[in-house]
Amino acid sequence: MGAFLTTAAFFCVALVGTLAKVSGQYTSTGVLLLFQNAVCLLFLLPAAWRDGWRSMRTQVVGLHLLRAVMGTGCWYALFFAISQIPLANATLLTYSAPLWMPLIAWAVTRVRVAAATWLGAGVGFVGVLLVLQPQGRGFSAGELSALAGALLLAVAMMSVRWLGRTEPALRILFYYFLLSTVLSVPIALADWQPTEPAAWPWLVGLGLTQLLSQILIVAAYRYASAEKLGPFIYTVIVFTAVIDWIVWGHRPTLFTYLGMALVIGGGLLAVRAKSVPAQPDQTG
C-alpha cells in the first residue's frame, strides 16, 4: 500500500512539473511557487476550520518549519531548473533524492540500513544516469539547481516520516502550506512579474495537483519508512518521460527504456529489504 500510494503521489508530482513548465511561459518562478502553496492552503482552510483550530496545535513547530523550508527550497530549485533545462533532465536530477535518504536515516536514528536498500538505490541511480546520459561536461546552472533540490527534497521527505509519528495528516499539510506560503511571499515579490489571464487555469491546476500529491505522500509514509519508499519516487522519471513524449513529442531513447527498467528494479529491490537492527555496544 505504501508503494502504491507513493507511486500515485509522484504521478501527481510529474503533473506538477508539467503544469509548472506550461505556467512558466506566463509568469516567474517565484510567482509559480507562491500560487502553488497559496492555492493548496486555500483549499485546506475549510478542513482546518471544520476540525477546530485546537486540532491544529502542535508541539513540533520546529519540525514543521524544517519541512516547509526544505520543501519550499526544493520546489523553487526544481521550477528554476525546469525553466533552464529540459523537463526530464530537471526531474531526473531532483529526484535522485532517495540516494540520500538511507544516509540521513542512519545519521539521525543510527539504525543500520540493509545492504539491499543501498544496492537498490545504487541500481536506481545507474538507471538515472542512463536516462540522463551525461556528456562529461560541467553542470549548467539549471542542473546545479536541480541537484541542490535533490538534497533539500531528501530532508523534506524524511521530515514527513518524522512528523507522521505524532501528527495527523491534516495538521502536517496545514502547517506545510501555511509556512510555505509565508516563505514564498518574499520570493515572489523579489521575482514578481504580471500574471497573464491565460495562466490562471494552469496555476490553479498546479496547486490542486500539488495538494493531492502531498496528501498521498503523507498517507504512504504511514505504511512504511521514507528510506523504504524513497526508491519509488523514481517513478516520477517514468511518468515525466511519458508526458514529455505525449505533450512535447520527445520520444524516449533505448537508453531511456533501459534506465527506467533499472529505476523500477532498484526500487523494488530496496523496498523488499528490511532494516538491520542496531547491534549492542560491546565496548563498554
Side-chain angles (χ1 to χ4, degrees):
M1 180 58 71
F4 171 78
L5 290 171
T6 306
T7 301
F10 284 94
F11 172 71
C12 292
V13 170
L15 293 179
V16 169
T18 304
L19 292 169
K21 189 171 182 66
V22 175
S23 302
Q25 302 173 28
Y26 304 103
T27 189
S28 67
T29 302
V31 173
L32 281 180
L33 187 67
L34 176 60
F35 272 94
Q36 178 196 49
N37 293 316
V39 168
C40 292
L41 178 61
L42 182 64
F43 277 87
L44 280 174
L45 284 174
W49 178 268
R50 181 194 63 217
D51 289 357
W53 295 115
R54 288 186 179 181
S55 67
M56 294 298 108
R57 291 180 179 176
T58 180
Q59 302 298 318
V60 287
V61 174
L63 196 51
H64 283 289
L65 182 60
L66 172 66
R67 191 213 170 186
V69 170
M70 295 296 104
T72 301
C74 170
W75 281 111
Y76 185 87
L78 177 59
F79 287 167
F80 175 78
I82 287 172
S83 70
Q84 302 295 312
I85 60 177
L87 174 63
N89 289 24
T91 304
L92 283 166
L93 288 171
T94 301
Y95 289 95
S96 65
L99 300 176
W100 295 95
M101 288 183 176
L103 179 60
I104 294 172
W106 174 82
V108 174
T109 66
R110 298 297 177 179
V111 174
R112 292 175 57 196
V113 178
T117 301
W118 290 109
L119 178 61
V123 170
F125 185 65
V126 171
V128 170
L129 291 178
L130 278 176
V131 178
L132 188 56
Q133 298 182 53
Q135 303 299 317
R137 54 176 174 77
F139 288 116
S140 67
E143 289 166 336
L144 289 173
S145 179
L147 285 171
L151 184 57
L152 295 170
L153 177 61
V155 179
M157 297 293 284
M158 291 298 300
S159 67
V160 173
R161 177 61 177 174
W162 301 330
L163 285 167
R165 295 172 181 170
T166 60
E167 303 288 273
L170 178 60
R171 190 184 302 161
I172 293 174
L173 292 170
F174 174 76
Y175 276 104
Y176 174 70
F177 288 117
L178 174 63
L179 294 171
S180 294
T181 299
V182 173
L183 291 169
S184 301
V185 169
I187 299 174
L189 289 175
D191 195 27
W192 186 261
Q193 288 182 10
T195 302
E196 300 180 23
W200 286 100
W202 301 107
L203 290 171
V204 173
L206 174 68
L208 292 178
T209 308
Q210 168 70 345
L211 176 61
L212 180 57
S213 74
Q214 294 298 311
I215 291 172
L216 290 169
I217 289 170
V218 171
Y221 282 5
R222 295 188 181 277
Y223 290 91
S225 65
E227 61 268 22
K228 297 292 185 182
L229 295 179
F232 279 88
I233 81 170
Y234 282 133
T235 58
V236 72
I237 298 168
V238 179
F239 295 134
T240 301
V242 172
I243 292 171
D244 212 13
W245 184 3
I246 294 173
V247 177
W248 286 283
H250 299 154
R251 184 174 182 175
T253 65
L254 176 60
F255 283 108
T256 301
Y257 286 120
L258 291 174
M260 288 178 183
L262 289 177
V263 165
I264 295 171
L268 292 175
L269 176 62
V271 82
R272 288 175 63 87
K274 295 183 178 180
S275 297
V276 180
Q279 297 297 320
D281 187 358
Q282 302 295 334
T283 63

